Amino acid sequence: MFCYFFGMIDYMSKTNKFRGYMRQFLLFLMFILSQNASHAAKIDEAIDKIFAPVSDILSGIVFYPVDIFGAKIPITILWILLGGFFFTVFFRFIPIWGFKHSLNLIVNSKNNKDSNSDGGSGEVSSFQALATALSGTLGLGSIAGVAVAISIGGPGATFWILVGAILGMSLKFAESSLAVKHRRFNEDGTISGGPMHYIAFGLTKKGKRKLGQFLAIIFAVFLLLGSLGGGNMFQSNQACQQIIHITGDVNSIFANHVWICGLAITLFVGLTVIGGIKSIAKVTEKIVPFMCLLYILLGGAVICAYFTHIPEVILQIIKEAFVPDAIYGGVAGTIIIGLRRSVQSNEAGTGSAPIAYATVKTKEPISQGMVSLLEPFISGCMCTLTALVIILTGSYRNYTQGISGIEITSSAFSSVIPHADYVLSVVIILFAVSTIISWAYYGQKGWTYLFGEGRKRILTYQFIFCSFIIIGSSMNLRSIVDFTDAGMLAMSVPNLIAIYFLLPELKEDLKEYCQKHNLSNKLINNWFKFDQTSEENSNEEKINV
């Protein structure tokens, strides 16, 4: 059978009929696993036993604590937090003055998604790129991730999730703009972009070629870890847990056969990602609006049922953000878990979404940076909706032992809406699948950056990625959370280092863009030194010419 498997891979490299062969591979994988159905429980235990130590080692490095005023703060959390503050101030609070413009850009892109509104080259429209990025961002981090944060850090963690989302808007703008500016057009018409490219090419232009190449490789390695963790295993794990929950919990037929749920997700993902970014964009631009609307309707129903308690809950969130209950480990613990969940949810500073934004049809990199401001904002709104539902219903109080993710959210909805578990299951599966699809593309770009383009190389990565969907479905949640956060947060280190070096050119690009589109306000006029007299002189020179 293994001879057949590798022979099939070799044959696939010589033909364009990839989809049919991916189907054959997945069916083959199903056959292999089904032979061990009677030992499924042991398979699940073995998978967790192997990967849990790896997760512990990685998280121990990435979350190395730094003592600040008596509080132990993971070094990567501090790194991203400081970056968020710095970029927000550096860009003169661009989330405020750039928000309206970003809305106008995405509306125009949605109305003209089949055309290049500014004559630029690319593979997808701004709306499709945003939908793809959102499908990666609005994963189960917005549902299960928020529940995990509240179960560990209390209701006050919600406040810090929102703080992280606001600070993340400036980070997202910077990395997305650079991704479009330094993208590469391949011979087959596809686009390769993202932090790997602006780190390498951008720093090379600054005379730091060796540093750029080193950081780009480090980022690509972390990107692979992130794609297998938060973009894959966490999503499949929580989706499968929800399926088990609605089919009888411990008495579910899947309780000791979790890998079967993972295999079902693998089938759909494997047959989708092989079509590339255009295929992914076509799927995500339909899934994202639908799943967001469905989730908002569910959340809105719960909030309406507890409408009179909203002011009380808001005060509770603000109070416990600074003075949490003792059982949640103090204010430092609440801040840390809130910011960790925020990063895992909106992914700002990690450099993942810019890989999708790099494929947009535009000749103005700053315009896509403006559009990307919406991503952390929307993510923050979805997280807030989840938090309100959980705190209003008080479901988090029933899960004080250990880490509980999707179970908290599910029980919160079910306490108000009969049979909400089944509707929520649809939402969860859509969130999980859309995230896995997007991260399959992100990870693929990291893989090809390290090992080169080519059909065999891409197929090898896709097979590995699909295998981790099954692995993630069988792992313990704590191992998944640690591996997820460690892999994704580590990406921020080489990414933000490069952005700091490239800030001067990004400022000049933003200044030129604002002048062209008449974006003028008190926050940026002095920074850019906009001077009406100099503009009038410039216009006179153009007339004279």
Side-chain angles (χ1 to χ4, degrees):
M1 286 187 290
F2 286 102
C3 293
Y4 165 77
F5 171 62
F6 288 109
M8 184 178 65
I9 294 179
D10 181 66
Y11 183 64
M12 279 190 289
S13 66
K14 303 174 183 178
T15 178
N16 294 322
K17 299 179 180 179
F18 290 136
R19 189 177 298 273
Y21 298 115
M22 174 63 84
R23 186 182 296 111
Q24 291 183 41
F25 165 74
L26 293 173
L27 290 174
F28 171 79
L29 184 60
M30 182 186 295
F31 171 76
I32 291 296
L33 291 173
S34 66
Q35 304 307 304
N36 298 286
S38 60
H39 306 289
K42 294 182 179 180
I43 294 176
D44 295 347
E45 293 175 2
I47 288 174
D48 185 59
K49 186 176 180 180
I50 293 172
F51 281 89
V54 177
S55 173
D56 292 340
I57 294 173
L58 182 62
S59 61
I61 296 173
V62 175
F63 297 122
Y64 183 80
V66 177
D67 194 309
I68 298 180
F69 302 112
K72 300 289 186 179
I73 302 178
I75 190 169
T76 48
I77 292 292
L78 182 63
W79 171 251
I80 294 176
L81 180 61
L82 292 176
F85 274 115
F86 177 82
F87 288 123
T88 299
V89 175
F90 181 84
F91 291 117
R92 301 305 189 267
F93 302 95
I94 194 172
I96 299 174
W97 61 264
F99 188 77
K100 182 180 178 181
H101 181 66
S102 65
L103 287 175
N104 292 334
L105 288 172
I106 203 62
V107 169
N108 292 334
S109 172
K110 176 62 176 174
N111 294 334
N112 303 282
K113 64 181 180 179
D114 295 325
S115 63
N116 296 359
S117 58
D118 64 0
S121 300
E123 295 187 79
V124 298
S125 69
S126 290
F127 177 77
Q128 289 176 320
L130 177 63
T132 301
L134 277 173
S135 70
T137 301
L138 293 178
L140 295 182
S142 302
I143 302 179
V146 174
V148 169
I150 294 176
S151 69
I152 300 176
T158 306
F159 178 86
W160 297 109
I161 291 175
L162 289 174
V163 170
I166 294 171
L167 297 177
M169 294 174 74
S170 298
L171 288 170
K172 192 75 72 171
F173 164 79
E175 59 188 6
S176 299
S177 299
L178 290 171
V180 178
K181 181 176 181 179
H182 295 281
R183 60 184 175 176
R184 185 186 71 191
F185 289 86
N186 301 320
E187 294 181 358
D188 60 358
T190 60
I191 295 175
S192 294
M196 304 86 68
H197 297 277
Y198 65 69
I199 291 174
F201 301 147
L203 293 189
T204 296
K205 292 180 180 179
K206 294 285 186 181
K208 304 182 184 299
R209 180 172 175 270
K210 291 184 178 180
L211 176 62
Q213 290 180 336
F214 173 74
L215 291 178
I217 292 174
I218 293 297
F219 177 86
V221 172
F222 287 150
L223 176 60
L224 287 176
L225 293 177
S227 70
L228 298 177
N232 184 327
M233 292 195 294
F234 180 78
Q235 309 300 324
S236 65
N237 179 276
Q238 292 294 273
C240 292
Q241 289 304 312
Q242 178 64 12
I243 293 174
I244 292 173
H245 177 65
I246 65 172
T247 55
D249 285 320
V250 294
N251 297 319
S252 170
I253 58 174
F254 300 111
N256 293 321
H257 302 77
V258 186
W259 60 267
I260 297 178
C261 300
L263 182 62
I265 298 174
T266 302
L267 289 171
F268 180 79
V269 172
L271 297 176
T272 302
V273 299
I274 206 162
I277 186 61
K278 291 183 179 180
S279 173
I280 292 172
K282 288 179 181 178
V283 173
T284 56
E285 74 170 337
K286 295 177 177 63
I287 290 180
V288 170
F290 174 75
M291 69 184 188
C292 287
L293 178 60
L294 184 58
Y295 191 64
I296 289 171
L297 290 175
L298 283 174
V302 175
I303 291 174
C304 287
Y306 289 87
F307 184 77
T308 57
H309 297 281
I310 292 179
E312 178 185 345
V313 165
I314 292 176
L315 289 176
Q316 180 185 7
I317 290 173
I318 296 174
K319 177 185 175 181
E320 295 198 22
F322 302 95
V323 188
D325 288 343
I327 61 173
Y328 298 117
V331 63
T334 298
I335 294 174
I336 291 170
I337 192 61
L339 291 175
R340 277 183 63 175
R341 287 298 97 205
S342 179
V343 171
Q344 202 273 337
S345 178
N346 64 53
E347 300 170 13
T350 62
S352 56
I355 297 172
Y357 290 128
T359 64
V360 74
K361 298 176 182 177
T362 185
K363 61 182 179 182
E364 294 183 306
I366 297 297
S367 68
Q368 194 58 35
M370 288 290 186
V371 169
S372 69
L373 288 172
L374 296 173
E375 186 191 337
F377 174 79
I378 296 173
S379 174
C381 290
M382 298 297 286
C383 288
T384 302
L385 177 62
T386 302
L388 287 175
V389 169
I390 292 172
I391 299 172
L392 282 169
T393 59
S395 63
Y396 68 97
R397 297 190 184 97
N398 301 322
Y399 295 85
T400 57
Q401 299 296 324
I403 296 180
S404 299
I406 204 64
E407 298 94 337
I408 296 177
T409 308
S410 181
S411 63
F413 280 103
S414 298
S415 66
V416 177
I417 305 173
H419 307 297
D421 285 357
Y422 300 100
V423 181
L424 186 62
S425 296
V426 175
V427 176
I428 289 170
I429 292 172
L430 288 176
F431 270 67
V433 170
S434 64
T435 298
I436 293 172
I437 288 173
S438 295
W439 271 91
Y441 178 75
Y442 298 162
Q444 178 181 311
K445 288 303 177 181
W447 179 273
T448 55
Y449 184 85
L450 292 172
F451 302 107
E453 301 284 347
R455 296 173 182 174
K456 280 187 176 182
R457 296 183 179 93
I458 292 175
L459 283 170
T460 300
Y461 166 76
Q462 291 172 342
F463 293 155
I464 293 173
F465 185 87
C466 287
S467 298
F468 269 79
I469 296 175
I470 301 174
I471 291 173
S473 68
S474 305
M475 285 182 66
N476 176 270
L477 180 57
R478 180 175 290 278
S479 299
I480 289 284
V481 170
D482 290 341
F483 186 90
T484 291
D485 289 349
M488 295 181 69
L489 291 176
M491 293 163 57
S492 68
V493 177
N495 184 40
L496 294 185
I497 289 176
I499 295 177
Y500 280 120
F501 277 109
L502 300 176
L503 275 180
E505 70 175 68
L506 190 55
K507 177 183 177 181
E508 290 302 313
D509 292 341
L510 180 58
K511 177 180 178 181
E512 181 181 342
Y513 181 86
C514 289
Q515 289 175 327
K516 178 180 178 180
H517 295 275
N518 297 319
L519 298 177
S520 177
N521 59 72
K522 294 181 181 180
L523 290 172
I524 62 175
N525 286 350
N526 291 333
W527 186 45
F528 288 149
K529 297 181 180 179
F530 284 168
D531 184 70
Q532 187 173 359
T533 303
S534 63
E535 290 181 3
E536 291 176 354
N537 293 336
S538 176
N539 291 333
E540 290 179 1
E541 290 178 3
K542 291 180 180 179
I543 294 174
N544 293 332
V545 172

